[in-house]
Amino acid sequence: MAKIEIEFLTDSGDLRELCRQYWQIDTHRKFVHKVIELSEVFKIPRTKLASTVAASCIASSRDEACSSCGTPRPFKSRADFQQRRSWGNWGSWTCDDCQEAQRAAAREETEQRDQRRRDLIQHELDASKDPGLSGERLSLVDVVYLVSLLRAGGSEDLAFILPHESFSLLLSPTPELDREILDHLYRRSIICIHPDSREESIVIEDGEFIRFVPSKVHWILPLLPEGPSAGRLLEDLEDLLKSDEWPEGWLAKSEEIHRKVALHECLQYLRVVIEDHGFEFRAGAMTCHVLKSVLKTFSVGQAYNFIWRAARDAAAFYVRETTSKAHAANIVPGSIQRMAERALAEAWDVKAYRRDFRAPESVLSQVLFTLALQLPEGGFNTIPPPEDSNNSEDRI
Ligand SMILES: [Zn+2]
C-alpha cells in the first residue's frame, strides 16, 4: 500500500506538523502517534483534534483514486482510513465532480433521446394531419368509438386522451373490445400517439419508431389549427349520433355494431360469473358462436339468465364429478346453448336479469344504445337486430 499523502490547507508550521504526525503510519499501517499524545504535545483538546486536522489538510493515498479523473480519494478520518484498509481491496470510487459531470451527461443524453422520440412521433402526427380529422369522413363505427373514447379517457380540456390503463370508466364491456377500439381508431388515423407519451410506452431503435404499447401511450386527435376544436368536434358528433338524419348506410351498420356490443356484454358477464366460482375461463370461438346464436332470439338480460345458470351448473358438476376446474368451466358454453334451445323449443318465459354491479354498463354501451339508438334500458332488454341473411360477414 502506498503511503498517506498530505495536502496542506494551512501555512502554520505547527498545524502542518500536527497533520504529519496525525497521519503518520508505520510499516504495519498502524498509526505511530496516539491521539492523546498529540493532544498533549500540540495543546489541542482531544475532542477537537480530528476536526483541527481535517480543517488543516487533506490526507489521501494513491491506492484509491477517482476511476474517472484519477484524483486520490481523501480519508475523512482515521476511522475512515482503518475501515477502508480493513476491506483489503479498494472499491471503485468516483469523485463528486466526476459524478456530477456524469449525471449532467446522462441528463443531456436523456433529453436528446426524449427530443428524438418526440420528433419521430410528431412526424407521424403531422402526416395524419393531412388531410386532418373532420367529422365528414367518419363512419358510424368511427363516430361511436371516438365519442366513447373521448368520454372515457379525454382530458378535462380534451387536449389529449389519457393512456388506456388510466381510464376510470369502462370504455367497452371487455378488454378485448377496448383494444379493438384503440386499434381501429389508430389504424384509421382518427387518433394519433401523443408526442409527449411516456418513454416506456414507445420503442425506438436506431432512430426508427418500432412499436408502442397501446395501453400506455397518450393519444391526441390530428386536428388542424384552422378546423374545429376537440370540444366542438365531440359536440357535433354527439348531435349527429342522436339526430334523426343519419348519413346513408349508418342504420344498416348500426345493427352490426349492436350485435357486437351485445355479444361483448354477455362475455363481460360470463367472465364475472365464471370467476365467481373460482374458475378461469377464456372465451374462444365456440363461446362467441353460442352467445351470438342466443342473442338471435334473446336480449342481453335474458342471456344473463342462461349464463348465470350455466356457471352454477358447472360449479355443481365440478363438486359432483370431482373434475378439474378447467373441465368444469368448459361445459359452460354447451350448457348455455342447450338451455337457450330448450327455452326456444318449449317457449319458456325467460326472465331477464338486471345488470350486475360487477359488470357495469360501459361508455360504449351508453353511447351506442342510449345516445345513438335511443333504446330503453340501454338496450339491455332489446333483442339485437337479426343478421342480414345476404351478409353473414360480421366484421366491422
Ligand atoms: Zn474524478
Side-chain angles (χ1 to χ4, degrees), residues 105-177:
R107 270 198 303 275
E108 189 170 334
E109 196 185 318
T110 305
E111 274 164 26
Q112 284 178 358
R113 206 176 49 232
D114 286 352
Q115 190 56 47
R116 277 200 300 277
R117 188 179 70 240
R118 272 197 296 275
D119 289 349
L120 280 167
I121 301 170
Q122 184 68 46
H123 183 72
E124 199 186 80
L125 175 59
D126 291 342
S128 297
K129 283 188 180 174
D130 182 18
L133 179 60
S134 70
E136 291 94 65
R137 69 178 180 90
L138 300 180
S139 72
L140 172 70
V141 176
D142 295 339
V143 173
V144 167
Y145 283 179
L146 180 57
V147 168
S148 304
L149 183 64
L150 286 170
R151 284 182 172 198
S155 65
E156 188 58 35
D157 57 0
L158 293 178
F160 61 89
I161 297 161
L162 290 164
H164 178 259
E165 64 181 15
S166 311
F167 287 7
S168 46
L169 294 171
L170 214 52
L171 172 59
S172 83
T174 61
E176 291 76 17
L177 189 52

Side-chain angles (χ1 to χ4, degrees), residues 281 310 313-315 317-318 320 326-336 338:
F281 181 62
D313 292 350
F317 174 76
Y318 169 68
R320 196 173 61 235
H327 184 212
N330 277 337
I331 72 164
V332 170
S335 178
I336 294 172
R338 274 193 307 280

Side-chain angles (χ1 to χ4, degrees), residues 77-307:
S77 61
R78 279 188 170 185
D80 181 32
F81 169 85
Q82 279 162 334
Q83 193 180 42
R84 278 153 63 185
R85 190 196 57 185
S86 71
W87 290 342
N89 56 339
W90 309 92
S92 169
W93 174 77
T94 310
C95 74
D96 289 349
D97 288 350
C98 289
Q99 276 186 37
E100 179 47 42
Q102 285 167 5
R103 277 195 291 270
R107 270 198 303 275
E108 189 170 334
E109 196 185 318
T110 305
E111 274 164 26
Q112 284 178 358
R113 206 176 49 232
D114 286 352
Q115 190 56 47
R116 277 200 300 277
R117 188 179 70 240
R118 272 197 296 275
D119 289 349
L120 280 167
I121 301 170
Q122 184 68 46
H123 183 72
E124 199 186 80
L125 175 59
D126 291 342
S128 297
K129 283 188 180 174
D130 182 18
L133 179 60
S134 70
E136 291 94 65
R137 69 178 180 90
L138 300 180
S139 72
L140 172 70
V141 176
D142 295 339
V143 173
V144 167
Y145 283 179
L146 180 57
V147 168
S148 304
L149 183 64
L150 286 170
R151 284 182 172 198
S155 65
E156 188 58 35
D157 57 0
L158 293 178
F160 61 89
I161 297 161
L162 290 164
H164 178 259
E165 64 181 15
S166 311
F167 287 7
S168 46
L169 294 171
L170 214 52
L171 172 59
S172 83
T174 61
E176 291 76 17
L177 189 52
D178 280 8
R179 177 63 194 264
E180 196 177 314
I181 291 170
L182 291 174
D183 278 353
H184 175 96
L185 294 172
Y186 176 68
R187 270 190 290 107
R188 302 257 301 142
S189 297
I190 295 167
I191 56 172
C192 297
I193 299 166
H194 198 295
D196 290 332
S197 288
R198 292 196 308 266
E199 186 182 357
E200 68 270 22
S201 65
I202 312 277
V203 180
I204 286 172
E205 279 168 17
D206 300 329
E208 294 273 339
F209 175 41
I210 302 290
R211 63 179 172 275
F212 63 96
V213 186
S215 62
K216 288 186 185 294
V217 290
H218 285 70
W219 303 95
I220 187 168
L221 304 183
L223 295 168
L224 296 173
E226 61 274 21
S229 67
R232 185 60 208 263
L233 179 73
L234 176 61
E235 209 180 312
D236 289 350
L237 296 178
E238 286 176 342
D239 286 345
L240 180 60
L241 280 180
K242 62 187 174 198
S243 80
D244 298 332
E245 288 155 25
W246 276 7
E248 210 186 317
W250 274 32
L251 207 55
K253 210 66 187 168
S254 75
E255 298 185 345
E256 215 173 286
I257 186 172
H258 184 150
R259 287 191 291 273
K260 173 179 277 209
V261 179
L263 168 66
H264 280 270
E265 288 197 332
C266 291
L267 291 169
Q268 176 190 22
Y269 184 62
L270 179 62
R271 184 168 296 165
V272 166
V273 292
I274 292 254
E275 286 174 0
D276 236 7
H277 293 294
F279 297 163
E280 261 188 50
F281 181 62
R282 290 184 76 83
M286 182 60 190
T287 309
C288 290
H289 165 75
V290 166
L291 291 172
K292 275 184 195 171
S293 65
V294 169
L295 290 170
K296 284 178 184 168
T297 323
F298 300 99
S299 67
V300 174
Q302 289 173 310
Y304 273 29
N305 187 325
F306 300 131
I307 292 167

